[in-house]
Amino acid sequence: MDNVLIARSLFGTTMAFHIIFATIGVGLPLMILTAELIYQKTKNYEYVVMAKRWTKAFAVLLGVGIPTGTIAGVQLSLLWPGFMEVIGRVMPLPFQIEIYAFFIEALFMSIYVYAAERISPWLRVLSLILVALGALASAVLITNVHAFQGTPAGFRYENGQIVDIDPWAAFFNPGFAVTALHVAVSAYVVGAFIVASVSAFKMLRNEYGSRLYRFHQKALMISLVMGGIFSFLTAINGHAAAQYLHEYQPEKLAAAEGLFETQSHAPLAIGGFTDRETQEVKWGIEIPWALSFLAGNSFDTVVVGLNDFPEELWPPLFIHTLFNVMVFIGTFLILIALLGIAWKWILKKEQWPKFFLWILVLSGPLAIVAIECGWIFACTGRQPWVIYRILKTADAATSATNLGAISILFFSVYIILGIAVVSVLLYYFRKNTVLDDFERAENKGIPLYGSNS
Amino acid sequence: MTDALLAITVLWGFVFIYAVMATMDFGAGFWSMVYINRDKTTATNVANRYLSPTWEVTNTFIVALVVALYSLFPKATYTLGTILIIPGSAILLLLALRSAFLVFSNIATEYRKPLTYISGITGIIIPGILISVLPITHGQAIDHVDGVANLDLASLFTSPNTYAFIGFAISSTLFLSSLLLADYSKVSREMHAYKVYLKDGQIFGPLSLAMAFLIMLTLRNEAPWLYDRMIADLPLLWLSIGFFLIAGLGLFLPSFADKGVRGMPRLAVVATILQYLVASYVYGKAHLPYIIYPEITIQEAFTDPNSFRAVFTTYIVGFLILFPGFFYFWRLFMNDKQYLRQVGEEKE
Ligand code: HDD
Ligand code: HEM
Ligand code: HEM
């Protein structure tokens, strides 16, 4: 394998691993905050027990999210020094400001967990809000660098030289708002459906009508409402994201849709595989005119096809599949959230059908799959550019040659961490059952958060 | 002061803060491992109580450091990224294992021992590799092939100077962390633990000093340019030794404030930090203007003026926003005597 390919695989794997923990790290604090607020309002301690258990899970996940993020941040300079040189000069602000967001998250997370019993309720809520805001801000800011890679701004590129640098114009590059919003709302989708998965699984494991069944059902309802709202927002905003691709990175949209000829009234291809030889999408379903409408809100919109670009600048064609999977999961999640809410609140049923609960168990992993597909689509769909039409990936890569062995070490560490984190979570929640936490919450003398930490 | 000088001063400040915090962090992790089998003393508990709320904050500093480096000196990124790929990756791998298992050891209580061993041992290796970045920037171990800089690992790891740095990093990590934990246990009124850490400080203090001398001794042969410039600041080097001796007094003399207690750990901690400050100032000043000797200087690597202004503005705003947070944090975990004592009593 050549050096650049190894660097791409290594960095892609790091990101694909980090993003699992990072996304949950953004999404879960909002769920914790919601539970904590419901508790402050209702004083029903079941909600504080939820908040505590989710916080513990969050703290464990941070133990992997933070070091893998640190790896990501440093690897950017180690593997793509050419890229970071440009970023350092033109786009340093997001990384810089992100540090403050990390600090806020780290400080108040420690305060919320390790001083929970020493601070007043409103300070607890405030700490949580700051944790949630810190996590959100770090996601938005790092995404801004990614947005800049797609829509570079704030400098002029002349004869291979970067001149006229305006770091704030780079910060507010055209892709920022839509991309950051998409990442933020999709992270809340993940946070909600991860909780839904676990709650649904626990409902399957506990007898209908038992105290635990009802406890998990409460958690499930919170997550379905949150999940429903945010997956709806994700879809709306995803539509805007596609329109922005149409405007700024037409070859990415063309590859995502398997469109070769530039045309108005362009069809939308769903599913199937793009065939480079015959220039068509095989085994897909075609909806006439739909792509033009999606791209520009009118059937007359001319959508640019791949043939308008030299073939060596085409993104890989498999991104069509990644895009489809993301959109399919997004639609599916909206539907099951609506179905679940209707079941409980409109049909007023207490008992949940087993097969539906099993579908809900799948919802969390599906949301993660959507995140992975979305990111690999966005990063791989930018190829061969690392900064769109400015810098090629191959030119940004390190010239070091011993990357193979290093990659194997990193992959092994990710496997070790992955196995360890799952084992620790299973161990902890098996040892500290919901009933144990109920007891701690009922007896005022025993600390709930401090227990076993 | 030119902007480039201002920038390198900020960077040096970050390195210094991270060095102190990381020393305490990695050291506390190591001591928590060493004393895990001693049921009688609460030394492990003291170390953990310090460590649990702080490791995340400390870790953020290393990220801040890397970010500051490529935002302020982007034109050094290419060379630094290339030559540091091996040591950088080693640090990242160890850091990942260390942080994760530190968290796991606090959650999976039945498996605390093996998990603490993993985080303690990986943790104490990290400072050694981190500090090897310094001898790398001295330039002897860098080869140039077709205009691209490459690290020559063999020459790096056959140099006695490198080992002097590594030895210094590990011994001073253990030294400063034991001082801090001595202070921490004294405030918590855990005298057993206090005595243990005081004794560790008495062992590792002289060892660190010896290592520091060893660095100078080997530097003289391997990077004479740096050695000569450091010696030019001889008065400051004496001052640094003076602070070290004050720290020694803080370790061995009976306390003025508390009758019948040997040692003034707070004094020792402060004196040692001042000693680091002075010594690292001398080192940093001698290293200027080179980031990597002899080809990358701060002026050449410096960012564009507009970007510098913007970044510097965020430093000021960020500091103003974060400072109250840090202060509150410090008060809550390090200076709340009632809390510390109460936790101390519960554990006994
Ligand atoms: C729960 C996750 C999730 C869900 C359900 C969706 N997305 Fe998404 N999508 C992401 C998670 C995501 C992401 C992982 O967060 C990405 C990767 C890069 C980015 O900006 O967000 C992304 C990128 C992304 C892009 C590419 C942006 C770029 O290349 O810069 C488009 C066009 C869409 N999405 C469109 C949609 C549409 C039309 C959806 C319809 C439901 C949708 N997404 C659902
Ligand atoms: C967190 C989720 C992310 C995932 C799963 C992800 C995935 C990937 C993958 C698979 C590649 C290799 C692309 C290829 O060569 O085909 C890649 C490259 C890259 N990504 Fe991302 N990425 C993520 C987020 C980001 C963000 C937020 C940034 C911006 C800071 C970023 C910057 C880069 C860079 C600089 C490269 C290397 C150059 C290139 O191949 O274009 N990535 N990423
Ligand atoms: C868009 C995708 C990303 C999201 C949503 C995201 C989000 C987060 C979050 C929420 C954290 C806090 C830890 C946690 O909760 O697990 C975190 C940690 C971190 N992330 Fe990511 N991240 C993303 C991509 C990246 C990339 C591309 C980099 C590399 C430049 C990066 C660098 C870091 C670093 C350095 C940390 C550790 C912070 C610390 O030390 O406190 N992240 N990330």
Side-chain angles (χ1 to χ4, degrees):
Chain A
M1 269 212 289
D2 89 279
N3 212 33
V4 177
L5 198 61
I6 304 180
R8 287 163 61 178
S9 325
L10 173 54
F11 189 70
T13 311
T14 299
M15 290 315 302
F17 191 62
H18 174 60
I19 196 63
I20 300 173
F21 302 91
T23 310
I24 302 178
V26 177
L28 208 48
L30 189 71
M31 297 300 289
I32 302 172
L33 181 63
T34 312
E36 176 87 45
L37 286 175
I38 299 181
Y39 165 69
Q40 299 293 352
K41 183 146 189 311
T42 62
K43 295 291 170 205
N44 178 347
Y45 64 72
E46 289 189 6
Y47 289 103
V48 82
V49 168
M50 272 176 218
K52 180 232 160 164
R53 296 176 73 80
W54 298 345
T55 307
K56 284 287 172 194
F58 178 59
V60 175
L61 293 171
L62 269 181
V64 181
I66 290 182
T68 54
T70 309
I71 292 180
V74 181
Q75 254 179 12
L76 270 180
S77 313
L78 295 178
L79 296 177
W80 312 106
F83 170 66
M84 287 317 280
E85 187 175 332
V86 178
I87 293 292
R89 292 177 62 190
V90 185
M91 190 64 175
L93 291 171
F95 281 116
Q96 208 49 262
I97 302 172
E98 187 180 28
I99 299 294
Y100 311 134
F102 284 148
F103 271 127
I104 289 182
E105 185 184 351
L107 286 173
F108 287 93
M109 184 63 201
S110 293
I111 291 174
Y112 182 70
V113 172
Y114 294 103
E117 269 86 18
R118 281 191 290 147
I119 57 180
S120 60
W122 73 268
L123 258 177
R124 264 170 63 154
V125 173
L126 182 71
S127 307
L128 255 185
I129 292 178
L130 288 171
V131 170
L133 278 181
L136 175 65
S138 45
V140 163
L141 288 160
I142 192 72
T143 305
N144 192 9
V145 180
H146 166 76
F148 173 87
Q149 290 177 266
T151 55
F155 64 99
R156 279 185 310 118
Y157 194 62
E158 279 172 2
N159 313 326
Q161 295 289 327
I162 293 174
V163 291
D164 263 356
I165 295 175
D166 178 351
W168 285 107
F171 188 94
F172 293 104
N173 64 80
F176 177 31
V178 73
T179 315
L181 196 64
H182 197 58
V183 168
V185 285
S186 64
Y188 292 138
V189 171
V190 172
F193 282 104
I194 288 287
V195 170
S197 280
V198 177
S199 314
F201 186 74
K202 290 291 178 182
M203 284 167 73
L204 284 164
R205 282 294 142 97
N206 284 291
E207 213 176 313
Y208 165 65
S210 66
R211 191 173 174 197
L212 287 175
Y213 187 92
R214 277 180 283 125
F215 171 80
H216 290 296
Q217 185 177 339
K218 286 197 183 94
L220 181 67
M221 287 319 292
I222 301 181
S223 60
L224 286 183
V225 172
M226 300 289 279
I229 296 172
F230 283 106
S231 43
F232 187 66
L233 292 177
T234 304
I236 307 256
N237 162 265
H239 175 60
Q243 295 195 335
Y244 125 91
L245 287 188
H246 167 68
E247 201 180 334
Y248 290 99
Q249 295 180 70
E251 60 269 52
K252 198 193 257 183
L253 185 64
E257 300 294 358
L259 187 73
F260 288 88
E261 286 308 323
T262 301
Q263 53 191 278
S264 67
H265 303 84
L268 181 70
I270 299 179
F273 298 91
T274 319
D275 188 336
R276 193 182 284 267
E277 302 305 318
T278 57
Q279 303 218 329
E280 61 181 9
V281 178
K282 286 200 168 141
W283 301 308
I285 306 166
E286 268 201 7
I287 308 178
W289 298 8
L291 179 56
S292 279
F293 189 78
L294 286 178
N297 299 331
S298 131
F299 298 115
D300 296 327
T301 309
V302 176
V303 184
V304 182
L306 285 169
N307 287 339
D308 280 20
F309 303 93
E311 196 170 338
E312 67 271 16
L313 294 186
W314 288 6
L317 296 182
F318 66 82
I319 63 172
H320 173 64
T321 309
L322 297 172
F323 184 61
N324 280 177
V325 170
M326 170 176 66
V327 176
F328 171 78
I329 292 175
T331 318
F332 182 75
L333 292 179
I334 300 179
L335 288 180
I336 58 173
L338 285 179
L339 219 68
I341 293 170
W343 182 261
K344 178 81 180 7
W345 285 345
I346 299 178
L347 301 178
K348 308 242 184 264
K349 305 254 183 174
E350 279 297 325
Q351 190 163 9
W352 295 65
K354 278 225 159 82
F355 85 92
F356 186 57
L357 284 177
W358 278 115
I359 291 179
L360 285 171
V361 172
L362 281 181
S363 66
L366 279 178
I368 301 258
V369 171
I371 288 283
E372 298 280 359
C373 288
W375 274 110
I376 300 173
F377 161 50
C379 271
T380 303
R382 187 183 55 236
Q383 301 307 314
W385 303 104
V386 60
I387 301 180
Y388 185 57
R389 292 191 182 162
I390 303 276
L391 185 64
K392 289 244 175 83
T393 304
D395 299 329
T398 176
S399 51
T401 46
N402 30 23
L403 297 181
I406 295 178
S407 303
I408 293 172
L409 287 176
F410 275 104
F411 297 157
S412 324
V413 166
Y414 299 151
I415 293 173
I416 294 172
L417 291 184
I419 295 174
V421 76
V422 173
S423 322
V424 168
L425 283 173
L426 290 177
Y427 164 88
Y428 177 80
F429 287 111
R430 207 168 289 145
K431 277 264 151 177
N432 294 266
T433 62
V434 175
L435 292 176
D436 294 339
D437 278 338
F438 280 167
E439 205 175 293
R440 291 186 190 120
E442 277 163 10
N443 298 322
K444 284 276 170 273
I446 310 176
L448 175 62
Y449 278 79
S451 57
N452 198 359
S453 66
Chain B
M1 205 184 222
T2 64
D3 280 353
L5 204 55
L6 186 61
I8 197 73
T9 312
V10 170
L11 197 61
W12 172 83
F14 281 161
V15 173
F16 178 73
I17 296 175
Y18 180 69
V20 172
M21 290 186 67
T23 308
M24 295 179 180
D25 189 51
F26 294 127
F30 185 76
W31 292 126
S32 139
M33 173 189 94
V34 169
Y35 296 116
I36 198 164
N37 284 328
R38 289 213 206 157
D39 298 332
K40 262 208 333 238
T41 70
T42 48
T44 285
N45 291 333
V46 174
N48 277 333
R49 202 177 319 138
Y50 170 78
L51 206 50
S52 304
T54 53
W55 76 269
E56 249 185 284
V57 180
T58 309
N59 186 74
T60 307
F61 267 102
I62 196 171
V63 183
L65 197 66
V66 175
V67 170
L69 186 63
Y70 60 66
S71 330
L72 297 173
F73 298 100
K75 293 168 206 161
T77 311
Y78 199 92
T79 306
L80 272 178
T82 313
I83 58 178
L84 291 182
I85 184 117
I86 303 261
S89 300
I91 293 168
L92 289 174
L93 289 165
L94 291 171
L95 204 58
L97 290 173
R98 193 267 177 170
S99 310
F101 284 91
L102 181 69
V103 172
F104 297 161
S105 70
N106 281 330
I107 296 269
T109 35
E110 254 170 49
Y111 300 94
R112 172 162 270 165
K113 270 185 202 164
L115 296 173
T116 305
Y117 274 102
I118 298 178
S119 68
I121 291 173
T122 46
I124 201 65
I125 304 175
I126 296 172
I129 307 184
L130 273 174
I131 209 167
S132 73
V133 173
L134 294 182
I136 291 175
T137 65
H138 300 171
Q140 281 90 319
I142 299 177
D143 285 342
H144 293 269
V145 187
D146 305 329
V148 176
N150 270 310
L151 182 65
D152 179 357
L153 278 177
S155 118
L156 181 70
F157 283 108
T158 46
S159 140
N161 189 226
T162 308
Y163 291 100
F165 269 104
I166 293 177
F168 174 73
I170 293 177
S171 60
S172 67
T173 296
L174 295 176
F175 177 47
L176 186 54
S177 61
S178 59
L179 291 185
L180 179 91
L181 290 174
D183 185 42
Y184 208 64
S185 16
K186 194 175 171 201
V187 176
S188 315
R189 294 232 182 287
E190 285 172 66
M191 292 330 256
H192 257 303
Y194 172 65
K195 287 204 185 99
V196 169
Y197 285 125
L198 197 69
K199 201 187 85 245
D200 290 325
Q202 290 166 348
I203 296 173
F204 282 97
L207 208 59
S208 308
L209 186 69
M211 288 295 172
F213 278 120
L214 207 59
I215 290 183
M216 290 308 284
L217 217 65
T218 49
L219 203 59
R220 193 174 176 169
N221 290 329
E222 307 218 1
W225 61 277
L226 191 62
Y227 177 82
D228 293 342
R229 288 158 175 238
M230 285 182 77
I231 291 299
D233 267 326
L234 203 57
L236 284 177
L237 288 177
W238 283 118
L239 180 68
S240 137
I241 293 179
F243 278 124
F244 183 82
L245 293 178
I246 297 178
L249 296 182
L251 277 178
F252 288 97
L253 282 189
S255 170
F256 294 126
D258 304 86
K259 289 270 162 329
V261 180
R262 178 178 290 281
M264 291 165 284
R266 182 69 53 94
L267 177 74
V269 170
V270 173
T272 306
I273 292 178
L274 288 175
Q275 192 252 317
Y276 277 24
L277 190 75
V278 175
S280 64
Y281 170 77
V282 173
Y283 173 83
K285 184 166 163 242
H287 206 292
L288 284 180
Y290 303 107
I291 291 178
I292 301 169
Y293 185 83
E295 77 253 61
I296 297 185
T297 63
I298 57 169
Q299 289 87 0
E300 280 164 35
F302 191 52
T303 188
D304 294 75
N306 287 344
S307 298
F308 176 68
R309 216 164 303 134
V311 167
F312 205 77
T313 315
T314 73
Y315 281 149
I316 295 171
V317 175
F319 181 77
L320 291 180
I321 295 175
L322 285 175
F323 190 75
F326 278 115
F327 181 72
Y328 182 56
F329 185 80
W330 176 76
R331 239 192 34 189
L332 216 46
F333 293 110
M334 285 166 213
N335 206 31
D336 187 342
K337 291 204 170 121
Q338 212 177 346
Y339 156 69
L340 290 177
R341 274 177 205 162
Q342 177 193 332
V343 180
E345 275 152 28
E346 256 167 37
K347 294 265 156 81
E348 268 165 23

